[in-house]
Amino acid sequence: GDSSAIAVYFLAKETRKEVTVSLSGDGADELFAGYNKHKAIHKVINESNSLLRLAKPFSKLVKPNNSSKLGNVSRKIEKFNELLVQHSDKRYEFLAAFNKDEVVNSLLNISDQKAPEFIQIHGLNDFLIQDQRFVLPNDMLKKVDLMSMRHSLEVRTPFLDHEVVNFANSLPVKYKIKDGDQKAVLKEAFRDMLPTHLFGIPKKGFEVPLTSWLSEVISVKFDSEMFSENYLRKHGLFNFEFVKLLKTSQFIGDSSNASLVWSFLVFQTWYDKYMKHA
């Protein structure tokens, strides 16, 4: 359900033309606090969030989305302010989720869902360890392993050497986020070995233009039998009334819904191939 798997698939395909073994930076963000969510939880825990609180009205003026720079800023402000009102026990789940609970619950036709069990988050290091236990094995590493092995490419992850992991997890938070700079100790360790300009490049996600792709191809996919009312009602996993909304061009065209539509499409394709006769 992680759409960046598409990009990894083609990256692995091209890489395999040159080498049979490659190195990946996976794990560095989860060890040294490289993601926006890490900076956000750090601000919340340390209560250094006054400017983002003041910026809250901005998200009402500009619609939060991933399609424009202003929309993305608005999305981050809105999400941060939603994070502020979350109970501390729910903050990890909130930041790890691709979609909001109420949207997922509207799609699912299952009443006895069991939420994953997460450790208590008392500081940034707790959050990072939870990422290492949850996101790395279930998303990041799984995605790279599946996409690379599809092309017979071996991918090694040096940051996940057990000695590096143990050392990183023993470091105080100040070595990971320092004066707003993330992965601080990692950058400092390699500052004399890498070109200076690399340290000023903004972090970019490994994303694909999912909303526009879905808008172009989804109507054809949704016409197939696996998305029909009879099929969905027979297997009873999804609420067909919500699926009807999900299939509309208006819903698909909203970038905030893209990951939900994609996850649903991927799941149904997998289910139809392996599980429909189980």
Side-chain angles (χ1 to χ4, degrees), residues 29 32-50 52-53 80 83-84 91-92 95 121-128 131 171-184:
D29 289 313
F32 299 103
Y35 291 127
N36 285 332
K37 62 182 179 180
H38 298 145
K39 183 180 280 190
I41 199 70
H42 184 61
K43 285 180 176 293
V44 169
I45 291 170
N46 292 281
E47 299 183 347
S48 55
N49 48 52
S50 56
L52 285 165
R53 284 180 185 272
F80 184 84
L83 174 64
L84 288 173
R91 284 172 179 166
Y92 183 83
L95 286 171
I121 306 298
H122 300 294
L124 177 61
N125 275 334
D126 293 334
F127 195 99
L128 295 175
D131 262 358
L171 292 173
V173 170
K174 65 181 180 180
Y175 290 103
K176 298 171 184 181
I177 298 183
K178 183 178 180 181
D179 299 326
D181 191 25
Q182 294 174 261
K183 296 198 282 192

Side-chain angles (χ1 to χ4, degrees), residues 100-257:
K100 294 181 179 180
D101 281 351
E102 58 267 27
V103 178
V104 174
N105 291 335
S106 296
L107 174 61
L108 294 177
N109 203 25
I110 304 169
S111 57
D112 58 345
Q113 301 168 50
K114 184 180 180 183
E117 292 184 6
F118 299 124
I119 62 174
Q120 290 288 313
I121 306 298
H122 300 294
L124 177 61
N125 275 334
D126 293 334
F127 195 99
L128 295 175
I129 289 172
Q130 185 62 71
D131 262 358
Q132 294 162 35
R133 293 178 175 180
F134 182 65
V135 176
L136 267 179
N138 295 299
D139 184 0
M140 303 303 184
L141 298 178
K142 175 66 72 176
K143 168 184 65 182
V144 172
D145 187 55
L146 289 173
M147 297 302 105
S148 61
M149 292 309 296
R150 175 64 179 81
H151 300 290
S152 301
L153 175 71
E154 295 282 348
V155 176
R156 303 285 185 249
T157 52
F159 283 113
L160 295 178
D161 178 275
H162 68 97
E163 292 184 358
V164 177
V165 173
N166 288 338
F167 174 70
N169 286 342
S170 73
L171 292 173
V173 170
K174 65 181 180 180
Y175 290 103
K176 298 171 184 181
I177 298 183
K178 183 178 180 181
D179 299 326
D181 191 25
Q182 294 174 261
K183 296 198 282 192
V185 68
L186 190 60
K187 293 176 182 176
E188 203 57 40
F190 290 94
R191 197 168 294 280
D192 295 336
M193 302 165 70
L194 296 171
T196 305
H197 75 274
L198 290 180
F199 297 94
I201 297 174
K203 185 175 179 62
K204 293 182 179 180
F206 207 50
E207 298 172 353
V208 296
L210 191 58
T211 304
S212 60
W213 285 3
L214 288 173
S215 297
E216 291 175 17
V217 304
I218 204 71
S219 59
V220 177
K221 271 288 184 183
F222 275 160
D223 280 341
S224 62
E225 192 235 344
M226 73 178 87
F227 297 102
S228 69
E229 181 173 3
N230 287 340
Y231 187 103
L232 291 168
R233 293 198 186 280
K234 177 183 176 182
H235 294 289
L237 296 174
F238 299 105
N239 174 9
F240 183 71
E241 295 306 313
F242 187 81
V243 171
K244 285 197 295 186
L245 170 66
L246 183 145
K247 291 164 72 170
T248 62
S249 58
Q250 184 177 4
F251 190 92
I252 294 168
D254 186 337
S255 62
S256 64
N257 297 325

Side-chain angles (χ1 to χ4, degrees), residues 48-65:
S48 55
N49 48 52
S50 56
L51 285 177
L52 285 165
R53 284 180 185 272
L54 291 173
K56 186 176 180 179
F58 179 78
S59 64
K60 305 298 181 185
L61 296 173
V62 178
K63 185 179 179 181
N65 61 70

